[in-house]
Amino acid sequence: MKQVTITPKGLSLTELAEIFYNDTQLAVSAQLQTQVKTAHQTLKDMIATGETIYGVNTGFGLLANTRIEKNELITLQRHLLLSHATGVGKLLTDDIVRLTLALKIICLAQGCSGVRWELVEALLQLYNHQVYPCIPEKGSVGASGDLAPLSHLACVLIGEGKVRVKGEILSAKQGLAIAKLTPLQLAPKEGIALVNGTQVSTALALAGLFAAEKCFNAALLAGSLSFMAANGQPLCFDERIHRVRNQAGQQFVAQKLRELLDGYQQEQTATAKPCIQDPYSLRCQPQVMGACYDHMQYVKSILQREVHAVTDNPLVFAADKVVISGGNFHAQPVAMSADTLALAIAEIGSIAERRIALLNDTNFSGLPPFLINDNGINSGFMNMQVTAAALASENKSLAHPASVDSLPTSANQEDHVSMATYAARRLQAMNENTQNIIAIELLAACQGLDLRQSTPSSAQLQKAYSLVREKVSFYKEDHFFADDIAAIAALIDSGKLAL
């Protein structure tokens, strides 16, 4: 099993994807261990002086002005976890929980949280023994961090709640035994360090990003195959057009399309074509997909920083021997990034649906109506386009920004929240919708190529065509189509349709 080590340099998105998709072992470098221990000692020294420190010897939220007696500091942290474990709904999947655990370990390992190294070790034990806390998906507003879901995660450390191990739901104490742990007695500050943070929202957003990248790659392949099936005019991808627009994403996509259609371009430039300009869903792929690419690159940069951010509160700055209360738990960067990603996912599916409709329309494509011979007795792709339209429309509603909404909590102490958890969680449904739209387009494009008796122009397109045809053969007549859509959607999700 591959080991990933958290160091001061942090983890790359590739390493985070490895954590998300595969069982891995996690370790923390000696340098970060030292930072954690130094911060904890600093906090201990300050507590000993009797100084008032939010969340350590005070209440929480609106109760911040309530002083907690020294003999109740440990009880305070335990009660915080129990009282905030209020999540509802379906449980988050193991891959999301695994990534969340890793992100929480990364956050605490930065040495600004004041927790004991033993606490970080306990989280590592859960991770490395694949003991995943049962975390309901609903109940967080994304400030003060992901309070409810992270409380469910943290409660396992004190022997409360449930875990999932190899698909089986067990009690927290059973899970701790598998991880070779016993229930912890939390030290001052450890409860609030565990439940404050944006790790659940960030894990969900990263999962959305990873799936969106697979959709993006598959959509460029599908769009290229559709372009060939529709006998499109390739001059629209000329490098000079995209250079003078000066948009990086557009130029990137245009270059990719030129590479994918290389042989086809050479063939088309040798013969005249009556249609001077194709519909936008063919011609404007660089402009639309390029904008999606730019937005996805922006989201990558925000999430990469958030992964290594310290997002609990208050924070311990050991070098200055101070503890400062702020608001790094506010997940607005994650919420707005998720909203941005939602726009890209919706647009990738939207333009793909239009190409399906175009291929179906004999007036535009020059192919048999609904991509089937003997139409009338056969309906072909008629209702597959209806399904694609339904999914694209659903994504329009789901793309409504979550980050513009805010409901105050904690008696108006927490009066502006991010809604980041929902913003990121809804990306899964949107990606599934877009995967299915692209699956239908791949089926339609391959059908169109076969009807035109054309072959894919480049090695990459030939590979994509072959992968589709390994799953689904040419349609000579109608049959049960749903399984075919599911098979190609699974192919997209596998990541095999990479550029």
Side-chain angles (χ1 to χ4, degrees):
M1 194 180 295
K2 183 175 180 180
Q3 178 169 294
V4 178
T5 300
I6 302 166
T7 70
K9 290 177 62 177
L11 300 184
S12 66
L13 287 176
T14 301
E15 289 172 311
L16 292 165
E18 180 76 23
I19 287 170
F20 178 68
Y21 286 114
N22 302 302
D23 292 328
T24 55
Q25 292 289 291
L26 207 57
V28 176
S29 72
Q31 184 178 344
L32 291 181
Q33 292 181 35
T34 299
Q35 290 179 192
V36 171
K37 294 172 182 177
T38 301
H40 175 63
Q41 187 60 51
T42 299
L43 180 65
K44 279 183 66 176
D45 293 344
M46 294 184 69
I47 293 172
T49 68
E51 181 176 342
T52 300
I53 305 171
Y54 171 73
V56 175
N57 50 21
T58 75
F60 306 103
L62 196 65
L63 303 176
N65 293 323
T66 303
R67 178 78 182 205
I68 307 299
E69 296 301 322
K70 190 173 182 179
N71 63 348
E72 296 180 316
L73 298 186
I74 291 173
T75 302
L76 173 70
Q77 301 301 312
R78 178 180 175 84
H79 283 186
L80 174 67
L81 269 54
L82 296 172
S83 65
H84 283 61
T86 56
V88 298
K90 295 186 296 183
L91 298 180
L92 295 176
T93 54
D94 285 352
D95 47 11
I96 294 292
V97 177
R98 180 167 59 243
L99 186 53
T100 299
L101 272 170
L103 296 181
K104 177 52 77 174
I105 291 166
I106 292 170
C107 176
L108 297 179
Q110 303 306 305
C112 290
S113 300
V115 302
R116 293 168 297 163
W117 170 244
E118 289 81 353
L119 181 69
V120 181
E121 279 188 311
L123 290 171
L124 284 167
Q125 286 289 96
L126 291 180
Y127 183 99
N128 289 334
H129 285 85
Q130 299 168 38
V131 176
Y132 302 128
C134 290
I135 304 176
E137 66 178 3
K138 298 180 182 180
S140 173
V141 295
S144 298
D146 296 316
L147 287 173
L150 287 176
S151 292
H152 283 273
L153 182 154
C155 273
V156 169
L157 294 172
I158 62 172
E160 301 288 347
K162 291 181 170 58
V163 299
R164 188 162 48 204
V165 181
K166 297 180 180 177
E168 185 180 359
I169 303 294
L170 304 172
S171 71
K173 290 180 180 177
Q174 288 174 303
L176 289 175
I178 291 170
K180 297 179 171 49
L181 294 169
T182 56
L184 294 180
Q185 185 178 72
L186 297 179
K189 175 69 171 63
E190 291 185 339
I192 195 169
L194 286 166
V195 305
N196 267 182
T198 64
Q199 286 76 42
V200 174
S201 298
T202 304
L204 288 165
L206 284 169
L209 174 64
F210 299 150
E213 288 182 318
K214 290 187 282 192
C215 286
F216 179 88
N217 290 336
L220 285 188
L221 293 166
S224 299
L225 290 167
S226 292
F227 195 90
M228 290 189 66
N231 206 26
Q233 169 56 260
L235 287 174
C236 59
F237 302 140
D238 189 290
E239 184 271 338
R240 291 164 292 187
I241 295 172
H242 305 287
R243 171 164 38 87
V244 297
R245 183 70 181 274
N246 199 34
Q247 292 289 350
Q250 179 177 326
Q251 293 179 75
F252 171 81
V253 170
Q255 174 64 31
K256 287 294 181 185
L257 292 172
R258 288 195 297 273
E259 292 171 3
L260 292 170
L261 294 166
D262 182 47
Y264 175 78
Q265 285 181 310
Q266 291 172 355
E267 179 184 340
Q268 284 294 305
T269 53
T271 60
K273 185 173 185 294
C275 181
I276 297 173
Q277 288 193 336
D278 291 311
Y280 291 173
S281 61
L282 294 178
R283 181 170 24 128
C284 295
Q285 290 184 70
Q287 289 81 0
V288 175
M289 294 295 286
C292 294
Y293 179 82
D294 283 336
H295 281 72
M296 289 168 66
Q297 294 304 110
Y298 162 77
V299 171
K300 277 187 181 181
S301 68
I302 296 295
L303 295 182
Q304 179 75 65
R305 291 197 290 270
E306 192 70 11
V307 163
H308 302 98
V310 181
T311 56
D312 69 284
N313 185 63
L315 301 180
V316 180
F317 296 95
D320 303 319
K321 300 191 182 307
V322 295
V323 178
I324 306 175
S325 182
N328 278 2
F329 48 67
H330 201 295
Q332 198 72 17
V334 181
M336 295 182 77
S337 295
D339 284 344
T340 299
L341 188 55
L343 294 176
I345 295 166
E347 282 302 285
I348 292 167
S350 175
I351 195 170
E353 183 278 327
R354 288 292 79 208
R355 289 191 296 266
I356 298 165
L358 184 150
L359 292 174
N360 266 351
D361 190 337
T362 189
N363 296 310
F364 280 106
S365 68
L367 296 165
F370 303 110
L371 301 172
I372 196 83
N373 290 318
D374 297 324
N375 41 75
I377 190 68
N378 290 308
S379 295
F381 279 72
M382 180 187 294
N383 215 60
M384 282 211 246
Q385 186 269 326
V386 173
T387 296
L391 297 175
S393 181
E394 183 174 310
N395 271 357
K396 291 178 187 177
S397 297
L398 288 171
H400 180 84
S403 59
V404 297
D405 186 29
S406 178
L407 287 173
T409 61
S410 192
N412 285 311
Q413 172 74 1
E414 297 157 7
D415 58 348
H416 183 279
V417 298
S418 71
M419 300 299 177
T421 319
Y422 167 71
R425 178 165 51 83
R426 62 56 147 101
L427 298 176
Q428 179 182 353
M430 295 188 69
N431 275 312
E432 288 174 357
N433 287 342
T434 293
Q435 276 183 358
N436 281 296
I437 294 169
I438 300 166
I440 293 169
E441 185 186 5
L442 284 166
L443 289 168
C446 291
Q447 181 81 356
L449 282 174
D450 290 347
L451 288 167
R452 202 176 286 284
Q453 296 184 331
S454 297
T455 56
S457 60
S458 65
Q460 279 189 296
L461 284 189
Q462 181 60 55
K463 180 183 177 183
Y465 172 88
S466 298
L467 286 169
V468 172
R469 283 291 174 246
E470 285 174 10
K471 303 286 185 183
V472 181
S473 59
F474 174 76
Y475 295 133
K476 295 180 180 178
E477 61 182 5
D478 290 343
H479 71 240
F480 190 75
F481 290 135
D483 288 347
D484 297 341
I485 299 170
I488 305 306
L491 176 64
I492 295 168
D493 190 51
S494 74
K496 291 180 180 178
L497 293 173
L499 294 175

